[in-house]
Amino acid sequence: MLVDILVDALRTSVGPTAAAYALLAIGLNMHFGFTGLLNFGQAGFMLVGAYGVAITVSTFGGPLFLGVIVGMLAAVVLALLLGVPTLRLRADYLAITTIAAAEILRLLFRSTAAEPVTGGVFGLRQFGGAFFALNPLPDDRAYLGPLAASAGRMWVMLVGWSVVLLMTLLVWALIRSPWGRVIRSIREDEDAARSLGKNVFAYKMQSLVLGGVIGAIGGALFALSLQTVQPDTFLPQVTFYAFAILILGGTASTFGPVIGAVIFWFILGMLLSGLRTFSDAGLLPEFFGAQAVGAVSLTFVGVLIMSLMIFRPQGILGDKKELQLDVS
Amino acid sequence: MSPDPRPDPLEGTSAEPGVAKADPILTVSDVRRSFGGITAVDVDHLEIPRGLITGLIGPNGAGKTTLFNLLTGFDTPDKGTWTFAGEDLAGVPAHLVARKGMVRTFQLTKALARMTVMENMQLAAVGQTGERLLPALLPSLWRPQEDALTERADELLVRFKLDHMRDQFAGTLSGGQKKLLEMARALMVEPSMVMLDEPMAGVNPALTQSLLGHVKGLRDNEGRTVVFVEHDMDVVFDISDWVVCLAQGAVIAEGRPSEIGSNPAVIDAYLGSSHSEAPVQRRKRHERRAS
Ligand SMILES: Nc1ncnc2c1ncn2[C@@H]1O[C@H](COP(=O)(O)OP(=O)(O)O)[C@@H](O)[C@H]1O
Ligand SMILES: [Mg+2]
């Protein structure tokens, strides 16, 4: 039984969802870890990425690659809309605006008025055909031994983790460049950056767009892996999961979001699988049944963030020395 | 200091508030800024002479920092204009002011704590190809420039005796070292004018002398214009070519150091203010307070 739970957890930790969340966290790392921008609406960027694919393909019958591009462009537009009015103001304005915008988007996409395009509360499905048609893996067998991934799942995982790797490389290359130096200087003290001739607003905008687009790619991947999108997938807690992953892996460490996502989903996978197993065996009280999944995940994330703050605020890959410096 | 062989550029300039200079680099006209009911800055006319050191003095709350903020684009005045090196700078955003050659430091140092001393220096160089998003991805496009500016930064770090801290986080520096770093960093911008807001405040006496040497060096070796705010009158009189005294936002006196110490308006401004002492009296370091 315990082995089953561990295998389940392992399957979750390397699955497509973990890869999608790694992308969300990589985007947030760009925003928060390196630039110091508080984006509490990463779920909104994820949403436009997911619906970009779904709407283009399902609603309008367009090609898949166009859908991905539409999702990314929508993220650019969203970043500009959020950034232009707020990035000259104090950091908290962006935080409030992003969390509100993500919720507004979700409510808009689930509204009856939008139903002809977005499918309303039911969302959209069956838009990944072209993606799975590209799968070169023979589907007469399972992959990854005990994890027993189907050919389709394996294909999403391959593409997903490759994109994660690519985006990690992109962020790594940017952050070590003079561009990244300006970005980090803004995190440290934007007035100092300004006094040295840096156009702080323009750099914040670039960071917001870049991190948002990476989040949107995560959304597209998420949608493709499930072959369905529903507006209520994109609740505010999605952003907080991504933050938990970022903090767990180590804020402002390039590889942190990847490690963070794998470990986060391993633990969460273990909890959920354990819950299911015990519940099926009748070992849990009635009220602790299948409905408790959401509550357990939320509680877990809360406890995780709290324990990190207490015991390892720098996360797994973060630099403790860096954290202890007085930033004022 | 050895006697200056050049003719005195301030020759014949009379010690009056708002007096015109022979060769001003910065000319301020009718600049005013108020916060609620307080008029923080109200300068009718002020000219800063090119290539010299101008000391800006005045009791706490006189408006020195606010004036710096206004002139460098960090704050917006209610009204007023100013030209720097012949260019109208009113309304120009802070980062462009810096690129035009007017660079300021801050009263409360702004070392970029979680970046190394060297990164602080490198950041400050202007016109870096690698600071643009796409070229940033191709190191071959910016590597030569990076090497050149690193070399320049290393020379400055040696000069400012920070080379042993080169690869440490700037947040680990002492207060005085941060001041040094901030000054060295400002020089990476290659400014024609540096504005130093209390560069010696909180710096231990041993470092003060070397800081003073650097400030003089800016003028003597590099021909830069310096404006600096300082409370220690011995320091002001030692290194300034010209002194401007601000009180309640207005320029109340200007003159050579020798003329300022005995100026009744200046003595009045300091004695009349409840929390500062007369400028002629050297204040003990531990009694000094940041404004
Ligand atoms: N942001 C601000 N809001 C309100 N009042 C301010 C602000 N900045 C400065 N002041 C006021 O303006 C006056 C001048 O301050 P400041 O320029 O800091 O003086 P100094 O640098 O000469 O000590 C003071 O009375 C100060 O309280
Ligand atoms: Mg001040």
Side-chain angles (χ1 to χ4, degrees):
Chain A
M1 196 160 83
L2 197 63
V3 173
D4 288 344
I5 293 175
L6 283 178
V7 168
D8 253 2
L10 203 59
R11 183 183 295 125
T12 313
S13 72
V14 297
T17 305
Y21 271 82
L23 287 169
L24 297 188
I26 291 171
L28 277 185
N29 203 20
M30 189 73 224
H31 292 156
F32 178 66
F34 294 115
T35 323
L37 297 175
L38 272 178
N39 167 19
F40 283 143
Q42 190 70 332
F45 287 102
M46 185 192 187
L47 181 149
V48 296
Y51 272 98
V53 173
I55 292 176
T56 306
V57 178
S58 271
T59 311
F60 295 110
L64 178 74
F65 79 90
L66 182 67
V68 176
I69 291 171
V70 166
M72 288 165 69
L73 285 179
V76 173
V77 172
L78 180 59
L80 292 174
L81 284 176
L82 291 171
V84 167
T86 59
L87 287 183
R88 288 182 208 279
L89 307 173
R90 256 186 7 230
D92 26 356
Y93 287 88
L94 178 69
I96 296 165
T97 310
T98 45
I99 194 169
E103 269 301 85
I104 290 170
L105 275 176
R106 181 177 71 83
L107 295 173
L108 202 70
F109 274 61
R110 84 196 294 283
S111 69
T112 324
E115 208 173 304
V117 180
T118 64
V121 279
F122 306 109
L124 298 167
R125 54 186 64 242
Q126 302 306 339
F127 42 78
F131 176 75
F132 290 98
L134 288 175
N135 187 357
L137 302 169
D139 64 358
D140 53 0
R141 51 165 289 208
Y143 294 82
L144 294 179
L147 300 189
S150 69
R153 183 177 164 90
M154 192 64 207
W155 174 232
V156 185
M157 282 163 63
L158 269 177
V159 173
W161 289 109
S162 303
V163 174
V164 168
L165 207 66
L166 203 68
M167 290 301 137
T168 305
L169 269 176
L170 175 73
V171 170
W172 171 79
L174 281 174
I175 287 306
R176 67 194 269 276
S177 77
W179 183 87
R181 196 157 59 209
V182 179
I183 287 290
R184 286 179 294 130
S185 78
I186 292 170
R187 172 191 72 192
E188 296 301 300
D189 191 317
E190 60 176 82
D191 277 343
R194 242 179 231 120
S195 79
L196 300 172
K198 311 305 173 196
N199 186 348
V200 169
F201 178 75
Y203 281 96
K204 281 183 177 176
M205 202 70 234
Q206 290 170 32
S207 167
L208 191 64
V209 168
L210 200 64
V213 168
I214 296 175
I217 297 174
L221 178 69
F222 189 78
L224 281 174
S225 75
L226 295 180
Q227 288 259 53
T228 161
V229 283
Q230 275 143 17
D232 293 339
T233 311
F234 307 97
L235 289 166
Q237 48 257 44
V238 169
T239 303
F240 294 101
Y241 287 16
F243 262 108
I245 287 170
L246 177 61
I247 297 168
L248 176 65
T251 310
S253 94
T254 315
F255 211 65
V258 184
I259 298 287
V262 171
I263 296 180
F264 178 92
W265 282 103
F266 183 83
I267 306 176
L268 191 55
M270 204 160 62
L271 278 174
L272 296 181
S273 172
L275 199 67
R276 205 162 41 238
T277 312
F278 285 112
S279 165
D280 288 352
L283 294 172
L284 290 175
E286 190 64 26
F287 68 88
F288 224 118
Q291 304 90 327
V293 168
V296 167
S297 324
L298 269 177
T299 312
F300 159 66
V301 174
V303 171
L304 175 72
I305 293 185
M306 223 154 52
S307 352
L308 277 171
M309 287 299 139
I310 296 167
F311 299 110
R312 203 178 164 86
Q314 76 274 30
I316 293 167
L317 296 181
D319 183 344
K320 181 135 199 193
K321 269 211 322 269
E322 211 173 288
L323 205 82
Q324 283 166 337
L325 288 174
D326 182 12
V327 190
S328 66
Chain B
M1 202 176 82
S2 58
D4 197 334
R6 293 168 302 177
D8 180 359
L10 289 170
E11 172 113 50
T13 310
S14 59
E16 297 159 13
V19 65
K21 313 292 185 310
D23 182 20
I25 189 170
L26 174 70
T27 305
V28 182
S29 301
D30 208 16
V31 168
R32 181 210 261 284
R33 172 73 162 113
S34 46
F35 297 105
I38 307 166
T39 303
V41 166
D42 187 4
V43 171
D44 287 337
H45 192 83
L46 177 63
E47 296 186 3
I48 303 295
R50 191 191 308 270
L52 299 179
I53 298 176
T54 301
L56 182 60
I57 63 168
N60 283 337
K64 306 177 294 291
T65 297
T66 307
L67 182 61
F68 270 28
N69 289 344
L70 293 171
L71 297 179
T72 52
F74 280 86
D75 191 7
T76 315
D78 306 331
K79 62 167 190 170
T81 58
W82 59 99
T83 58
F84 173 72
E87 246 183 296
D88 191 350
L89 279 197
V92 174
H95 68 277
L96 293 180
V97 171
R99 286 190 211 166
K100 286 179 192 296
M102 183 154 102
V103 173
R104 60 91 55 92
T105 64
F106 296 88
Q107 184 172 347
L108 300 169
T109 41
K110 292 187 184 295
L112 305 163
R114 288 176 295 178
M115 295 170 70
T116 66
V117 167
M118 178 44 91
E119 284 179 315
N120 268 263
M121 297 293 284
Q122 289 166 326
L123 170 75
V126 292
Q128 297 186 45
T129 310
E131 287 186 351
R132 284 182 283 133
L133 187 58
L134 293 178
L137 288 170
L138 297 169
S140 58
L141 290 181
W142 46 263
R143 193 54 78 189
Q145 200 184 17
E146 181 86 351
D147 291 344
L149 65 90
T150 305
E151 196 175 321
R152 194 152 62 83
D154 271 322
E155 284 165 19
L156 276 169
L157 288 181
V158 170
R159 225 173 91 197
F160 281 78
K161 300 200 173 57
L162 287 171
D163 46 322
H164 63 294
M165 299 299 282
R166 183 185 193 273
D167 300 314
Q168 306 295 317
F169 282 132
T172 63
L173 299 181
S174 71
Q177 287 175 321
K178 284 180 184 162
K179 290 270 179 192
L180 281 170
L181 174 60
E182 215 179 1
M183 201 184 293
R185 194 175 66 185
L187 295 183
M188 282 298 288
V189 186
E190 304 204 293
S192 44
M193 175 161 134
V194 248
M195 304 177 72
L196 309 170
D197 199 348
E198 305 205 11
M200 333 288 176
V203 176
N204 75 52
L207 265 180
T208 307
Q209 277 314 311
S210 93
L211 262 168
L212 284 181
H214 291 309
V215 174
K216 285 184 192 167
L218 297 182
R219 171 193 63 188
D220 299 338
N221 308 331
E222 297 165 47
R224 303 187 205 276
T225 306
V226 179
V227 179
F228 79 112
V229 173
E230 179 50 45
H231 283 299
D232 189 325
M233 289 306 141
D234 290 347
V235 167
V236 173
F237 295 161
D238 176 18
I239 69 169
S240 310
D241 298 297
W242 192 257
V243 179
V244 173
C245 180
L246 224 55
Q248 289 167 3
V251 177
I252 56 156
E254 280 191 54
R256 286 156 202 284
S258 55
E259 296 161 329
I260 279 292
S262 53
N263 184 312
V266 175
I267 295 173
D268 222 38
Y270 275 85
L271 291 181
S273 133
S274 57
H275 43 265
S276 279
E277 296 164 43
V280 281
Q281 220 174 317
R282 179 166 193 153
R283 285 195 276 160
K284 291 202 188 78
R285 260 164 235 289
H286 65 265
E287 282 172 6
R288 253 200 263 144
R289 37 186 294 184
S291 45

